[in-house]
Amino acid sequence: MANNNAHGWQRVIYAFGHSMRGLKACWRLEEAFRQELIILVPLLPIGLWLGASPVERAMLVGSLLLVPVVELLNSAIEANVDRIGLERHELSGRAKDIASAAVFMSILFAVVIWLLILVPKWL
């Protein structure tokens, strides 16, 4: 796992490898992550096309990119809770529910950003 002897670029290369393993694991094991990325792929160029200014494009694209970031954190929390034990526990359920709520909030944030930027253009 962690290589405490790695420094400089070697540490960056190791960290990149760990990140790629995490993305691959999340793609393979988490259906919600796959669904969000499948939706993200066509929306990214649409956001770049519909944004009238660099700030609008950054907001449209950035709000979309936030969703899989939060989903990765949600998946990490769920994996840690499941590692501790599969029996039902109030705190485990709360942790999973709060992480899920964070994903919901990031999706809501993206929807609001898109509506605030695009609806006035069509009214």
Side-chain angles (χ1 to χ4, degrees):
M1 292 296 185
N3 187 339
N4 295 331
N5 297 325
H7 299 286
W9 285 107
Q10 186 179 27
R11 188 198 62 74
V12 172
I13 292 168
Y14 285 146
F16 179 78
H18 295 309
S19 297
M20 292 302 102
R21 274 201 319 275
L23 286 170
K24 182 179 176 183
C26 204
W27 175 265
R28 191 170 31 96
L29 300 170
E30 301 293 336
E31 184 176 359
F33 184 71
R34 289 191 302 272
Q35 292 169 339
E36 291 158 0
L37 285 186
I38 288 168
I39 292 169
L40 175 87
V41 168
L43 286 179
L44 283 177
I46 292 171
L48 291 171
W49 179 58
L50 292 176
S53 69
V55 171
E56 283 187 359
R57 287 189 290 274
M59 292 295 294
L60 291 169
V61 170
S63 66
L64 292 175
L65 293 175
L66 180 64
V67 174
V69 169
V70 177
E71 184 63 50
L72 287 165
L73 295 171
N74 175 47
S75 297
I77 289 168
E78 287 184 353
N80 274 305
V81 168
D82 290 345
R83 181 188 180 277
I84 292 169
L86 295 177
E87 71 279 351
R88 291 192 172 270
H89 189 280
E90 178 187 349
L91 294 176
S92 297
R94 187 183 316 161
K96 287 184 167 191
D97 290 346
I98 291 170
S100 179
V103 174
F104 172 75
M105 294 299 293
S106 70
I107 293 169
L108 184 63
F109 175 75
V111 169
V112 168
I113 292 294
W114 278 65
L115 290 175
L116 286 173
I117 291 174
L118 299 179
V119 167
K121 293 180 183 198
W122 296 322
L123 290 181

